[in-house]
Amino acid sequence: MKNLLVEKNSGPNIIVKVRDIAIGDKEPVFISGPCSVESYDKMMAIGKELKNIGIHILRGGAFKPRTSPYDFQGLHMEGIKILHEVGKSYNLPIVTEIMDARDIEKCIPYIDMIQVGSRNMYNYTLLKELGKSSLPILLKRGISATVSEWLYAAEYIMSSGNSQVVLCERGIRTFETYTRNTLDLNSVAVIKENYRLPIIVDPSHGTGKRELVESMSLASIACGAHGLMIESHICPDNAVSDARQTVNMDTLKSIVNKSKVLNDIL
Amino acid sequence: MKNLLVEKNSGPNIIVKVRDIAIGDKEPVFISGPCSVESYDKMMAIGKELKNIGIHILRGGAFKPRTSPYDFQGLHMEGIKILHEVGKSYNLPIVTEIMDARDIEKCIPYIDMIQVGSRNMYNYTLLKELGKSSLPILLKRGISATVSEWLYAAEYIMSSGNSQVVLCERGIRTFETYTRNTLDLNSVAVIKENYRLPIIVDPSHGTGKRELVESMSLASIACGAHGLMIESHICPDNAVSDARQTVNMDTLKSIVNKSKVLNDIL
Amino acid sequence: MKNLLVEKNSGPNIIVKVRDIAIGDKEPVFISGPCSVESYDKMMAIGKELKNIGIHILRGGAFKPRTSPYDFQGLHMEGIKILHEVGKSYNLPIVTEIMDARDIEKCIPYIDMIQVGSRNMYNYTLLKELGKSSLPILLKRGISATVSEWLYAAEYIMSSGNSQVVLCERGIRTFETYTRNTLDLNSVAVIKENYRLPIIVDPSHGTGKRELVESMSLASIACGAHGLMIESHICPDNAVSDARQTVNMDTLKSIVNKSKVLNDIL
Amino acid sequence: MKNLLVEKNSGPNIIVKVRDIAIGDKEPVFISGPCSVESYDKMMAIGKELKNIGIHILRGGAFKPRTSPYDFQGLHMEGIKILHEVGKSYNLPIVTEIMDARDIEKCIPYIDMIQVGSRNMYNYTLLKELGKSSLPILLKRGISATVSEWLYAAEYIMSSGNSQVVLCERGIRTFETYTRNTLDLNSVAVIKENYRLPIIVDPSHGTGKRELVESMSLASIACGAHGLMIESHICPDNAVSDARQTVNMDTLKSIVNKSKVLNDIL
C-alpha cells in the first residue's frame, strides 16, 4: 500500500459534508431511523421523534439486500420518495442504501448520501459508479472484510473521482454466536491513527441486540468514532426487519445525550 | 428453510448441461485455464494443452474483481472474445466471470456458462439478472458465506427462473494463514446429502499454493464433488495473477487421470 | 522456524509404533471406539465388533474435558482399567486422553498411546511431561490453532525427549454453524508436504454429524492421511456423549473397506 | 444454562477483593506491568513508576506460555519472588499467571491473585485446582472461546469452591491480521447485562499495537469494564516479550487519568 488516496500522506483528513452536516469534524454525527421504510405514516412519526432527539441524518432502507429472496425486499422507489418527503418535512438529510448501479441516477434527486451495504463492499462495479457520483458515500465494512480490503474499497470510489467517503464499522463475522456480529472497534482506532477518512460505527448490526447498543455506542465515541448509525423505531417490536436490534426513542435519546457529554471530555 | 427450490424435496437432483458437458452426473467434470486471459497467443497455447489433457470446459478471467483498483482489471470484452475464439478452435465450452449485470447481454453470444465470483455471491442484483439468463451459472461460495447463505444465493437465481446452477466450493476465510483459504470440503458432503444442486471444488483458491492442489483435488473427488475447477498455465510462474496457486500442465494431467481412477472406485 | 525437530530437514519421516501398529507407513491405521467409556459390558461388546471390522487401535474417553462442569466427566481410572481389559481381550492397543500431568504415571501401565485433546494443545505443562514419557502421543489440533502453533506443540513434546508424535486434524472453529467444526484437510496436505510427523484425521469431530463421516473419511485418505480416528458405538443414539457424530458398526465397516481400496490406488 | 453460579439469579453481583483493592465496584481498577519479569532492578524501577501513576495491582509474567519451546519461558520462582519483593516495596498487590496446578501451593505465599492465561482457559484440571484456592482468580478469555465457554470455565472454578473470579477480555482470534487479536468489547456489555462477575479488559493483547492501547482503554471503560490490564515498561522497545504492544509510562499515565474522568461521567 503506497500513496493511496486513503492514506494520511495523500492530503489532510477528509471531512464529509452531507448537506450542512459535517462528518469527520469535532462533533459526533448521529444517523438513525428504521431498518426498512415501512410506510409514509410510520416514517413521518419516526422522523418527528428523531428530529426532536437531535438526530442529524435520517436513515431507512428502501432497497433491502435480504439473505432469502422470499423475505421483504423493501419498497424501492416508493420508499425512496417517502424518505425524501420526511426529510423535507423535518429538514433531515437522507442516507439510504443502493444496491444496483442502475438505480443511482434516479435516486440522486431524492437523497443526500448513498450507503454501500456490507454485502456490496466487494461490488467493484457499484463502487466505481459511485465514484462518479456527486453524493457522499457511506461505505459499510464487508461482513468479513479485512481493514485493508475495506480501505481498498474506499480507494475504488475515490480513484473514480469521489473522495466524499465515510467508513462505517458494523461488526465482523466470527465464531461467536452470542452476538450477531463482533463489533471490531480496533478498526476505529486503526483508521483514526493511519487514514484520512471519517469513520462512524453501527452498533445495531455490531451487536444484534438492542440492550447492548447503548454500551457499544459509548465505547465507539470513546475510541474516537466520528458518529453513530443506530436502528431505531417508534415501536421496535413491530419493526418489519431487524426488530431484535432496534432501539426505542428513549434509548436513542439517552445514547445521543451521553455521547455528547462523553465526546466533550475526550 | 421450507420447500426451497434447492432442496431435494423440490424435485430430482439437477444435472447442469454446459453445451454437451453434464455437471452433476457420474463422471467428474474438469474446468481449467488461467486466472486471467492474458493474450490470444497464450490462451491458444493453453487451450491446446487443456484439450489434450481432457479438460471439459475452459475458464479464464476477462472481468477481474481485484482488491486494489490499481491492479490489472482484465481485458474485458477483448478477453471474452479471445476465450470465444479459443473455445471454438478446440471445441471447449467457456466459463467466465461477469461482475456487472449490464455486461450479461453482450457476453452471452461468446460464452457458455457465467461464473459468479466469491465477492459477488451476495450481489443480489446480479443474481436476479442471472436468473433471467438462459446460460448455466457457476456460483462460487462467498469468501465467508455460510452454506445456508450460499444456498439462498442459488435460490435467488432459481426463483428468478434459472435452475441451471452449479455450486463451487472455493475455501472460506478463517484465522489460518498458512493457506490462502480453508477449503471446506464438509460443504461438499452437506450439499450432496441434502440438496439438489451439483457441486464442484476449486482447490486453487481453496489452498492458494500449487503444491497442495493435487492432494485437495483428490480429496474433493473422494467426498463426492461433481468436478474440479483448477487454475493452470503453460508457464505458471509468469501468470499475471494468482501465479502462486497455478499448476502447470503436467500436474493438471496427473490430477485429471488420478481423479478419474478414483471416481471409478467410489 | 529453523531446524525444528518437526521439519523434514531434521531427519527421516517419523513412523510411530503403537505396540505393533505402525502409523505413518503405507497402510492407513484405523482408530475407533466410543466417545466415553460407559461400562465394561458395553466396551467389551464394542471391542468385539471393532476387532471384527479390522480396527487397529481402540479409543475411549475416561477423563473427559467437558465444557460444563456439570456434565459427565468420565469414569477416570475405572474407565482406564476397562479399556485395558477390553484391549487385552481383543488384542487391541489402547489410546485415551489424559488431561492432568499427575495422571500420566498411573495410567501408563494400562494404555499404549496418550491422546492430547484439542482443549489441551496449548497446555505446555502437560506437553513437556508427555515429552518425558515413553508412550507415543496422539496430538489433536487445538480448536482454533494455526498449523504453526500445532507444530510447535509437537515440538514441545519432541524437544522434551519424545519424538513419537502423531498429529490429528479434527476440524477448526469458524463462522460456519452447519457443521460442528470445519474439517481443514488442507492441513493434511501441508503436513505431508513439509513435515516429518504422521497425520491422521478425526472426521467425527471434524463434522459433528454422523451422515458426513464416511465422505470425509474418504476425502482424508485421498489427500494422504495416515489413518482415521472415528467415534463409533454399537448403539450410537444411546451414546452418553457425542451421539450426533457417532457412527454405527455398519458404517464403520464400510469406511474401513472403502478406505483400504482407495489407499491402494493412490 | 440454568441456575449457573455465574448468573445474576444466583446471587448479587460479585465484587472481588485483591487485598484491599475491590474489582467490580464503581471505581475502575488498573493492573499494569511488563509482559515478563526480567530482573529485580527493572521490576523495581517499573514498580516505582506504576505506584506513582496510581496503578492498583502489579502484573508480570514468571511462568510464560510461549508458542515455541525455544523462546524465553520466564524466570519461574525467581520471578515470583521478585514480584513479591517489588509488591512489598510499593504496597502493590501482585497478579501473575500460573500454568501448572503443581505450582499453585508454592506460589500462594508470594502473590495476591492468580491469572489463568488464554491458552489455559480450557485447562479444566487447572481450573478445578484453582477452585480450591483461597486467592482470587483472573480468568482470561480463551483465544477463540465463546462467551458461553468462558463463563463455563468460570463455573468450573466457582463450583469447586472459589467464587472470587474476575473475567478478562483480551481479544479473540479472527481473520483480521491488522491487529494481533480482535478486541471483543461486545463481551463486556454482555457480561455486565447478564452475569454476576466483574470484567476487565486487556487492550494490549486485544490490539497488539501500543499506539491503539489508549483508544481501546477508553472504549473499554465507556462500555462498562471494571478495570484495565495493560502491559507497560520503562523502556518498551527493550521489553523481552510483547514489546510491540507495551506502552511507556507517559501513555499509561494518560490512560489512567482519562479513564477516571470518563468513568466519573458514566
Side-chain angles (χ1 to χ4, degrees), chain A residues 66-67 70 73 100 102 123-125 128-129 144 149 152 155-156 173, chain B residues 66-67 70 73 100 102 123-125 128-129 144 149 152 155-156 173:
Chain A
R66 305 299 298 273
T67 297
Y70 309 120
Q73 308 275 312
D100 188 337
R102 296 167 299 190
N123 184 341
Y124 301 134
T125 297
K128 285 179 185 171
E129 291 292 336
S144 297
E149 290 171 338
Y152 271 117
E155 194 79 13
Y156 262 99
R173 177 165 283 178
Chain B
R66 304 300 297 273
T67 298
Y70 308 120
Q73 308 274 313
D100 188 338
R102 297 168 298 190
N123 183 341
Y124 301 135
T125 298
K128 284 178 184 172
E129 291 292 335
S144 297
E149 290 171 338
Y152 271 118
E155 194 79 14
Y156 262 99
R173 179 165 281 180

mmCIF file of all heavy atoms in Angstrom, chain A residues 66-67 70 73 100 102 123-125 128-129 144 149 152 155-156 173, chain B residues 66-67 70 73 100 102 123-125 128-129 144 149 152 155-156 173:
data_model
loop_
_atom_site.group_PDB
_atom_site.id
_atom_site.type_symbol
_atom_site.label_atom_id
_atom_site.label_comp_id
_atom_site.label_asym_id
_atom_site.label_seq_id
_atom_site.Cartn_x
_atom_site.Cartn_y
_atom_site.Cartn_z
ATOM 1 N N ARG A 66 -31.662 -8.941 1.255
ATOM 2 C CA ARG A 66 -32.053 -9.955 2.243
ATOM 3 C C ARG A 66 -31.481 -11.309 1.881
ATOM 4 O O ARG A 66 -31.447 -11.675 0.698
ATOM 5 C CB ARG A 66 -33.585 -10.051 2.318
ATOM 6 C CG ARG A 66 -34.270 -8.721 2.603
ATOM 7 C CD ARG A 66 -33.842 -8.130 3.939
ATOM 8 N NE ARG A 66 -34.198 -8.973 5.050
ATOM 9 C CZ ARG A 66 -35.372 -8.936 5.675
ATOM 10 N NH1 ARG A 66 -36.268 -8.060 5.298
ATOM 11 N NH2 ARG A 66 -35.615 -9.748 6.687
ATOM 12 N N THR A 67 -31.082 -12.080 2.867
ATOM 13 C CA THR A 67 -30.486 -13.396 2.621
ATOM 14 C C THR A 67 -31.418 -14.270 1.798
ATOM 15 O O THR A 67 -30.983 -14.978 0.885
ATOM 16 C CB THR A 67 -30.147 -14.073 3.968
ATOM 17 O OG1 THR A 67 -29.167 -13.268 4.629
ATOM 18 C CG2 THR A 67 -29.587 -15.467 3.753
ATOM 19 N N TYR A 70 -37.248 -14.633 -0.553
ATOM 20 C CA TYR A 70 -38.664 -14.629 -0.187
ATOM 21 C C TYR A 70 -38.969 -13.653 0.948
ATOM 22 O O TYR A 70 -40.125 -13.501 1.350
ATOM 23 C CB TYR A 70 -39.122 -16.049 0.165
ATOM 24 C CG TYR A 70 -38.735 -17.031 -0.923
ATOM 25 C CD1 TYR A 70 -37.904 -18.113 -0.648
ATOM 26 C CD2 TYR A 70 -39.172 -16.844 -2.240
ATOM 27 C CE1 TYR A 70 -37.524 -18.995 -1.652
ATOM 28 C CE2 TYR A 70 -38.790 -17.709 -3.251
ATOM 29 C CZ TYR A 70 -37.966 -18.784 -2.951
ATOM 30 O OH TYR A 70 -37.590 -19.636 -3.959
ATOM 31 N N GLN A 73 -38.342 -7.269 0.422
ATOM 32 C CA GLN A 73 -37.191 -6.693 -0.282
ATOM 33 C C GLN A 73 -37.204 -5.163 -0.277
ATOM 34 O O GLN A 73 -36.371 -4.538 -0.934
ATOM 35 C CB GLN A 73 -37.156 -7.211 -1.734
ATOM 36 C CG GLN A 73 -37.232 -8.729 -1.892
ATOM 37 C CD GLN A 73 -35.872 -9.418 -1.768
ATOM 38 O OE1 GLN A 73 -34.912 -9.000 -2.377
ATOM 39 N NE2 GLN A 73 -35.792 -10.464 -0.957
ATOM 40 N N ASP A 100 -27.871 -1.376 -6.780
ATOM 41 C CA ASP A 100 -27.780 -1.573 -8.218
ATOM 42 C C ASP A 100 -27.313 -0.268 -8.861
ATOM 43 O O ASP A 100 -27.944 0.775 -8.688
ATOM 44 C CB ASP A 100 -29.183 -1.946 -8.748
ATOM 45 C CG ASP A 100 -29.164 -2.364 -10.206
ATOM 46 O OD1 ASP A 100 -28.235 -1.978 -10.935
ATOM 47 O OD2 ASP A 100 -30.109 -3.078 -10.610
ATOM 48 N N ARG A 102 -27.636 0.786 -11.603
ATOM 49 C CA ARG A 102 -28.637 1.386 -12.486
ATOM 50 C C ARG A 102 -29.666 2.219 -11.732
ATOM 51 O O ARG A 102 -30.472 2.938 -12.336
ATOM 52 C CB ARG A 102 -29.342 0.281 -13.286
ATOM 53 C CG ARG A 102 -28.380 -0.455 -14.215
ATOM 54 C CD ARG A 102 -28.980 -1.721 -14.770
ATOM 55 N NE ARG A 102 -29.323 -2.666 -13.701
ATOM 56 C CZ ARG A 102 -29.688 -3.934 -13.909
ATOM 57 N NH1 ARG A 102 -29.744 -4.408 -15.142
ATOM 58 N NH2 ARG A 102 -29.969 -4.714 -12.898
ATOM 59 N N ASN A 123 -18.420 -5.161 -4.251
ATOM 60 C CA ASN A 123 -19.073 -4.992 -5.550
ATOM 61 C C ASN A 123 -18.408 -3.827 -6.283
ATOM 62 O O ASN A 123 -18.879 -2.693 -6.244
ATOM 63 C CB ASN A 123 -20.571 -4.738 -5.310
ATOM 64 C CG ASN A 123 -21.365 -4.637 -6.592
ATOM 65 O OD1 ASN A 123 -20.802 -4.411 -7.658
ATOM 66 N ND2 ASN A 123 -22.684 -4.791 -6.481
ATOM 67 N N TYR A 124 -17.304 -4.158 -6.935
ATOM 68 C CA TYR A 124 -16.467 -3.098 -7.507
ATOM 69 C C TYR A 124 -17.167 -2.355 -8.642
ATOM 70 O O TYR A 124 -16.883 -1.180 -8.882
ATOM 71 C CB TYR A 124 -15.128 -3.682 -7.954
ATOM 72 C CG TYR A 124 -14.354 -4.335 -6.823
ATOM 73 C CD1 TYR A 124 -13.759 -5.574 -6.976
ATOM 74 C CD2 TYR A 124 -14.245 -3.711 -5.577
ATOM 75 C CE1 TYR A 124 -13.059 -6.171 -5.931
ATOM 76 C CE2 TYR A 124 -13.558 -4.303 -4.527
ATOM 77 C CZ TYR A 124 -12.959 -5.534 -4.708
ATOM 78 O OH TYR A 124 -12.275 -6.132 -3.676
ATOM 79 N N THR A 125 -18.074 -3.014 -9.302
ATOM 80 C CA THR A 125 -18.882 -2.354 -10.326
ATOM 81 C C THR A 125 -19.656 -1.193 -9.714
ATOM 82 O O THR A 125 -19.632 -0.060 -10.219
ATOM 83 C CB THR A 125 -19.891 -3.373 -10.908
ATOM 84 O OG1 THR A 125 -19.164 -4.417 -11.526
ATOM 85 C CG2 THR A 125 -20.819 -2.706 -11.906
ATOM 86 N N LYS A 128 -17.259 1.685 -8.424
ATOM 87 C CA LYS A 128 -16.753 2.574 -9.476
ATOM 88 C C LYS A 128 -17.825 3.566 -9.923
ATOM 89 O O LYS A 128 -17.536 4.733 -10.184
ATOM 90 C CB LYS A 128 -16.275 1.751 -10.679
ATOM 91 C CG LYS A 128 -14.933 1.051 -10.447
ATOM 92 C CD LYS A 128 -14.555 0.227 -11.687
ATOM 93 C CE LYS A 128 -13.286 -0.581 -11.457
ATOM 94 N NZ LYS A 128 -13.037 -1.537 -12.563
ATOM 95 N N GLU A 129 -19.059 3.110 -10.034
ATOM 96 C CA GLU A 129 -20.141 4.012 -10.428
ATOM 97 C C GLU A 129 -20.361 5.091 -9.371
ATOM 98 O O GLU A 129 -20.594 6.259 -9.689
ATOM 99 C CB GLU A 129 -21.444 3.231 -10.637
ATOM 100 C CG GLU A 129 -21.430 2.322 -11.844
ATOM 101 C CD GLU A 129 -21.405 3.090 -13.167
ATOM 102 O OE1 GLU A 129 -21.834 4.251 -13.202
ATOM 103 O OE2 GLU A 129 -20.923 2.501 -14.153
ATOM 104 N N SER A 144 -17.001 -9.840 6.328
ATOM 105 C CA SER A 144 -15.731 -10.458 6.747
ATOM 106 C C SER A 144 -14.564 -9.793 6.049
ATOM 107 O O SER A 144 -13.581 -10.444 5.720
ATOM 108 C CB SER A 144 -15.731 -11.946 6.438
ATOM 109 O OG SER A 144 -16.731 -12.614 7.158
ATOM 110 N N GLU A 149 -8.849 -4.540 2.947
ATOM 111 C CA GLU A 149 -9.798 -4.657 1.831
ATOM 112 C C GLU A 149 -10.834 -3.537 1.839
ATOM 113 O O GLU A 149 -11.259 -3.057 0.791
ATOM 114 C CB GLU A 149 -10.528 -6.007 1.907
ATOM 115 C CG GLU A 149 -9.647 -7.200 1.604
ATOM 116 C CD GLU A 149 -10.344 -8.521 1.909
ATOM 117 O OE1 GLU A 149 -11.299 -8.521 2.723
ATOM 118 O OE2 GLU A 149 -9.922 -9.548 1.369
ATOM 119 N N TYR A 152 -9.316 -0.458 0.505
ATOM 120 C CA TYR A 152 -9.218 -0.534 -0.954
ATOM 121 C C TYR A 152 -10.589 -0.316 -1.611
ATOM 122 O O TYR A 152 -10.676 0.219 -2.711
ATOM 123 C CB TYR A 152 -8.627 -1.868 -1.399
ATOM 124 C CG TYR A 152 -7.119 -1.834 -1.485
ATOM 125 C CD1 TYR A 152 -6.336 -2.652 -0.674
ATOM 126 C CD2 TYR A 152 -6.479 -0.987 -2.393
ATOM 127 C CE1 TYR A 152 -4.958 -2.621 -0.754
ATOM 128 C CE2 TYR A 152 -5.095 -0.953 -2.479
ATOM 129 C CZ TYR A 152 -4.329 -1.776 -1.664
ATOM 130 O OH TYR A 152 -2.970 -1.741 -1.752
ATOM 131 N N GLU A 155 -10.877 3.163 -1.758
ATOM 132 C CA GLU A 155 -9.966 3.627 -2.813
ATOM 133 C C GLU A 155 -10.612 3.491 -4.197
ATOM 134 O O GLU A 155 -10.376 4.321 -5.078
ATOM 135 C CB GLU A 155 -8.667 2.810 -2.719
ATOM 136 C CG GLU A 155 -7.511 3.366 -3.510
ATOM 137 C CD GLU A 155 -6.793 4.536 -2.824
ATOM 138 O OE1 GLU A 155 -7.023 4.786 -1.627
ATOM 139 O OE2 GLU A 155 -6.016 5.210 -3.519
ATOM 140 N N TYR A 156 -11.405 2.439 -4.391
ATOM 141 C CA TYR A 156 -12.132 2.286 -5.664
ATOM 142 C C TYR A 156 -13.030 3.500 -5.922
ATOM 143 O O TYR A 156 -13.085 4.033 -7.027
ATOM 144 C CB TYR A 156 -13.010 1.023 -5.653
ATOM 145 C CG TYR A 156 -12.386 -0.183 -6.329
ATOM 146 C CD1 TYR A 156 -11.770 -1.176 -5.592
ATOM 147 C CD2 TYR A 156 -12.411 -0.320 -7.722
ATOM 148 C CE1 TYR A 156 -11.192 -2.294 -6.197
ATOM 149 C CE2 TYR A 156 -11.843 -1.430 -8.348
ATOM 150 C CZ TYR A 156 -11.232 -2.412 -7.584
ATOM 151 O OH TYR A 156 -10.665 -3.489 -8.202
ATOM 152 N N ARG A 173 -17.834 -11.005 11.066
ATOM 153 C CA ARG A 173 -18.295 -12.370 11.324
ATOM 154 C C ARG A 173 -17.183 -13.169 12.009
ATOM 155 O O ARG A 173 -16.064 -13.241 11.513
ATOM 156 C CB ARG A 173 -18.655 -13.007 9.985
ATOM 157 C CG ARG A 173 -19.083 -14.437 10.072
ATOM 158 C CD ARG A 173 -19.749 -14.870 8.817
ATOM 159 N NE ARG A 173 -21.111 -14.373 8.756
ATOM 160 C CZ ARG A 173 -21.944 -14.572 7.728
ATOM 161 N NH1 ARG A 173 -21.532 -15.261 6.688
ATOM 162 N NH2 ARG A 173 -23.174 -14.104 7.759
ATOM 163 N N ARG B 66 -10.496 -7.227 -8.500
ATOM 164 C CA ARG B 66 -9.235 -7.183 -7.755
ATOM 165 C C ARG B 66 -9.364 -6.326 -6.511
ATOM 166 O O ARG B 66 -10.014 -5.273 -6.545
ATOM 167 C CB ARG B 66 -8.119 -6.623 -8.650
ATOM 168 C CG ARG B 66 -7.937 -7.399 -9.961
ATOM 169 C CD ARG B 66 -7.585 -8.855 -9.719
ATOM 170 N NE ARG B 66 -6.335 -9.010 -9.039
ATOM 171 C CZ ARG B 66 -5.148 -9.062 -9.643
ATOM 172 N NH1 ARG B 66 -5.075 -8.994 -10.946
ATOM 173 N NH2 ARG B 66 -4.051 -9.208 -8.940
ATOM 174 N N THR B 67 -8.710 -6.721 -5.443
ATOM 175 C CA THR B 67 -8.790 -5.977 -4.194
ATOM 176 C C THR B 67 -8.377 -4.515 -4.393
ATOM 177 O O THR B 67 -9.006 -3.608 -3.862
ATOM 178 C CB THR B 67 -7.912 -6.644 -3.123
ATOM 179 O OG1 THR B 67 -8.430 -7.952 -2.892
ATOM 180 C CG2 THR B 67 -7.924 -5.859 -1.819
ATOM 181 N N TYR B 70 -5.831 -0.513 -8.526
ATOM 182 C CA TYR B 70 -4.652 -0.257 -9.340
ATOM 183 C C TYR B 70 -4.070 -1.542 -9.916
ATOM 184 O O TYR B 70 -3.088 -1.508 -10.655
ATOM 185 C CB TYR B 70 -3.605 0.507 -8.520
ATOM 186 C CG TYR B 70 -4.201 1.730 -7.869
ATOM 187 C CD1 TYR B 70 -4.208 1.884 -6.492
ATOM 188 C CD2 TYR B 70 -4.815 2.712 -8.651
ATOM 189 C CE1 TYR B 70 -4.787 2.995 -5.896
ATOM 190 C CE2 TYR B 70 -5.404 3.824 -8.058
ATOM 191 C CZ TYR B 70 -5.385 3.959 -6.684
ATOM 192 O OH TYR B 70 -5.968 5.058 -6.103
ATOM 193 N N GLN B 73 -7.125 -5.208 -14.212
ATOM 194 C CA GLN B 73 -8.564 -5.466 -14.065
ATOM 195 C C GLN B 73 -9.116 -6.377 -15.174
ATOM 196 O O GLN B 73 -10.329 -6.594 -15.253
ATOM 197 C CB GLN B 73 -9.340 -4.138 -14.066
ATOM 198 C CG GLN B 73 -8.831 -3.100 -13.059
ATOM 199 C CD GLN B 73 -9.433 -3.250 -11.676
ATOM 200 O OE1 GLN B 73 -10.641 -3.403 -11.540
ATOM 201 N NE2 GLN B 73 -8.607 -3.256 -10.647
ATOM 202 N N ASP B 100 -20.943 -7.384 -13.654
ATOM 203 C CA ASP B 100 -21.858 -6.272 -13.838
ATOM 204 C C ASP B 100 -23.064 -6.767 -14.637
ATOM 205 O O ASP B 100 -22.916 -7.290 -15.745
ATOM 206 C CB ASP B 100 -21.124 -5.160 -14.614
ATOM 207 C CG ASP B 100 -21.937 -3.876 -14.698
ATOM 208 O OD1 ASP B 100 -23.172 -3.923 -14.561
ATOM 209 O OD2 ASP B 100 -21.331 -2.823 -14.935
ATOM 210 N N ARG B 102 -25.008 -5.328 -16.368
ATOM 211 C CA ARG B 102 -25.104 -4.690 -17.676
ATOM 212 C C ARG B 102 -24.222 -5.356 -18.736
ATOM 213 O O ARG B 102 -24.335 -5.058 -19.932
ATOM 214 C CB ARG B 102 -24.750 -3.200 -17.556
ATOM 215 C CG ARG B 102 -25.738 -2.456 -16.661
ATOM 216 C CD ARG B 102 -25.232 -1.073 -16.303
ATOM 217 N NE ARG B 102 -23.974 -1.151 -15.538
ATOM 218 C CZ ARG B 102 -23.410 -0.116 -14.937
ATOM 219 N NH1 ARG B 102 -23.979 1.075 -14.988
ATOM 220 N NH2 ARG B 102 -22.287 -0.258 -14.266
ATOM 221 N N ASN B 123 -24.322 -10.354 -4.158
ATOM 222 C CA ASN B 123 -24.781 -9.283 -5.065
ATOM 223 C C ASN B 123 -26.124 -9.704 -5.671
ATOM 224 O O ASN B 123 -26.202 -10.242 -6.776
ATOM 225 C CB ASN B 123 -23.714 -9.062 -6.142
ATOM 226 C CG ASN B 123 -24.041 -7.932 -7.078
ATOM 227 O OD1 ASN B 123 -25.187 -7.504 -7.178
ATOM 228 N ND2 ASN B 123 -23.041 -7.436 -7.793
ATOM 229 N N TYR B 124 -27.169 -9.441 -4.899
ATOM 230 C CA TYR B 124 -28.482 -9.972 -5.269
ATOM 231 C C TYR B 124 -29.006 -9.366 -6.567
ATOM 232 O O TYR B 124 -29.776 -9.980 -7.294
ATOM 233 C CB TYR B 124 -29.470 -9.786 -4.119
ATOM 234 C CG TYR B 124 -29.016 -10.483 -2.848
ATOM 235 C CD1 TYR B 124 -29.084 -9.861 -1.603
ATOM 236 C CD2 TYR B 124 -28.498 -11.786 -2.887
ATOM 237 C CE1 TYR B 124 -28.663 -10.504 -0.442
ATOM 238 C CE2 TYR B 124 -28.070 -12.429 -1.723
ATOM 239 C CZ TYR B 124 -28.158 -11.778 -0.501
ATOM 240 O OH TYR B 124 -27.738 -12.415 0.631
ATOM 241 N N THR B 125 -28.577 -8.146 -6.857
ATOM 242 C CA THR B 125 -28.937 -7.520 -8.128
ATOM 243 C C THR B 125 -28.445 -8.384 -9.278
ATOM 244 O O THR B 125 -29.192 -8.696 -10.220
ATOM 245 C CB THR B 125 -28.271 -6.123 -8.207
ATOM 246 O OG1 THR B 125 -28.780 -5.325 -7.155
ATOM 247 C CG2 THR B 125 -28.532 -5.477 -9.559
ATOM 248 N N LYS B 128 -30.268 -11.891 -9.448
ATOM 249 C CA LYS B 128 -31.611 -11.852 -10.039
ATOM 250 C C LYS B 128 -31.538 -11.736 -11.560
ATOM 251 O O LYS B 128 -32.328 -12.358 -12.281
ATOM 252 C CB LYS B 128 -32.405 -10.664 -9.470
ATOM 253 C CG LYS B 128 -32.913 -10.903 -8.044
ATOM 254 C CD LYS B 128 -33.654 -9.646 -7.545
ATOM 255 C CE LYS B 128 -34.086 -9.799 -6.087
ATOM 256 N NZ LYS B 128 -34.621 -8.535 -5.543
ATOM 257 N N GLU B 129 -30.600 -10.937 -12.067
ATOM 258 C CA GLU B 129 -30.453 -10.803 -13.515
ATOM 259 C C GLU B 129 -30.023 -12.130 -14.138
ATOM 260 O O GLU B 129 -30.491 -12.514 -15.209
ATOM 261 C CB GLU B 129 -29.423 -9.715 -13.857
ATOM 262 C CG GLU B 129 -29.868 -8.316 -13.532
ATOM 263 C CD GLU B 129 -31.022 -7.844 -14.423
ATOM 264 O OE1 GLU B 129 -31.169 -8.350 -15.539
ATOM 265 O OE2 GLU B 129 -31.783 -6.968 -13.962
ATOM 266 N N SER B 144 -16.772 -15.635 2.989
ATOM 267 C CA SER B 144 -17.137 -16.030 4.352
ATOM 268 C C SER B 144 -18.611 -16.344 4.444
ATOM 269 O O SER B 144 -19.253 -16.092 5.459
ATOM 270 C CB SER B 144 -16.787 -14.911 5.333
ATOM 271 O OG SER B 144 -15.409 -14.674 5.359
ATOM 272 N N GLU B 149 -26.357 -19.340 3.516
ATOM 273 C CA GLU B 149 -26.401 -18.124 2.698
ATOM 274 C C GLU B 149 -26.106 -18.434 1.222
ATOM 275 O O GLU B 149 -26.676 -17.820 0.315
ATOM 276 C CB GLU B 149 -25.368 -17.111 3.202
ATOM 277 C CG GLU B 149 -25.721 -16.495 4.545
ATOM 278 C CD GLU B 149 -24.584 -15.667 5.122
ATOM 279 O OE1 GLU B 149 -23.408 -15.890 4.735
ATOM 280 O OE2 GLU B 149 -24.853 -14.819 5.981
ATOM 281 N N TYR B 152 -29.095 -19.874 -0.358
ATOM 282 C CA TYR B 152 -30.074 -18.823 -0.648
ATOM 283 C C TYR B 152 -29.652 -17.992 -1.865
ATOM 284 O O TYR B 152 -30.496 -17.475 -2.593
ATOM 285 C CB TYR B 152 -30.276 -17.914 0.569
ATOM 286 C CG TYR B 152 -31.359 -18.409 1.499
ATOM 287 C CD1 TYR B 152 -31.074 -18.770 2.802
ATOM 288 C CD2 TYR B 152 -32.684 -18.529 1.051
ATOM 289 C CE1 TYR B 152 -32.071 -19.223 3.658
ATOM 290 C CE2 TYR B 152 -33.681 -18.972 1.899
ATOM 291 C CZ TYR B 152 -33.378 -19.316 3.197
ATOM 292 O OH TYR B 152 -34.364 -19.761 4.034
ATOM 293 N N GLU B 155 -30.836 -19.844 -4.582
ATOM 294 C CA GLU B 155 -32.293 -19.700 -4.606
ATOM 295 C C GLU B 155 -32.699 -18.393 -5.295
ATOM 296 O O GLU B 155 -33.728 -18.351 -5.977
ATOM 297 C CB GLU B 155 -32.815 -19.736 -3.160
ATOM 298 C CG GLU B 155 -34.294 -19.930 -3.032
ATOM 299 C CD GLU B 155 -34.745 -21.382 -3.206
ATOM 300 O OE1 GLU B 155 -33.903 -22.309 -3.175
ATOM 301 O OE2 GLU B 155 -35.964 -21.595 -3.388
ATOM 302 N N TYR B 156 -31.901 -17.342 -5.102
ATOM 303 C CA TYR B 156 -32.169 -16.072 -5.806
ATOM 304 C C TYR B 156 -32.173 -16.294 -7.320
ATOM 305 O O TYR B 156 -33.055 -15.801 -8.032
ATOM 306 C CB TYR B 156 -31.113 -15.007 -5.467
ATOM 307 C CG TYR B 156 -31.536 -14.026 -4.392
ATOM 308 C CD1 TYR B 156 -31.119 -14.183 -3.087
ATOM 309 C CD2 TYR B 156 -32.348 -12.934 -4.697
ATOM 310 C CE1 TYR B 156 -31.494 -13.282 -2.092
ATOM 311 C CE2 TYR B 156 -32.727 -12.023 -3.717
ATOM 312 C CZ TYR B 156 -32.305 -12.207 -2.408
ATOM 313 O OH TYR B 156 -32.687 -11.316 -1.441
ATOM 314 N N ARG B 173 -12.739 -18.028 4.573
ATOM 315 C CA ARG B 173 -11.764 -17.228 5.325
ATOM 316 C C ARG B 173 -11.781 -17.645 6.789
ATOM 317 O O ARG B 173 -12.833 -17.633 7.432
ATOM 318 C CB ARG B 173 -12.157 -15.761 5.187
ATOM 319 C CG ARG B 173 -11.277 -14.810 5.926
ATOM 320 C CD ARG B 173 -11.500 -13.405 5.460
ATOM 321 N NE ARG B 173 -10.805 -13.164 4.201
ATOM 322 C CZ ARG B 173 -10.821 -12.011 3.539
ATOM 323 N NH1 ARG B 173 -11.513 -11.008 4.000
ATOM 324 N NH2 ARG B 173 -10.159 -11.873 2.411
#
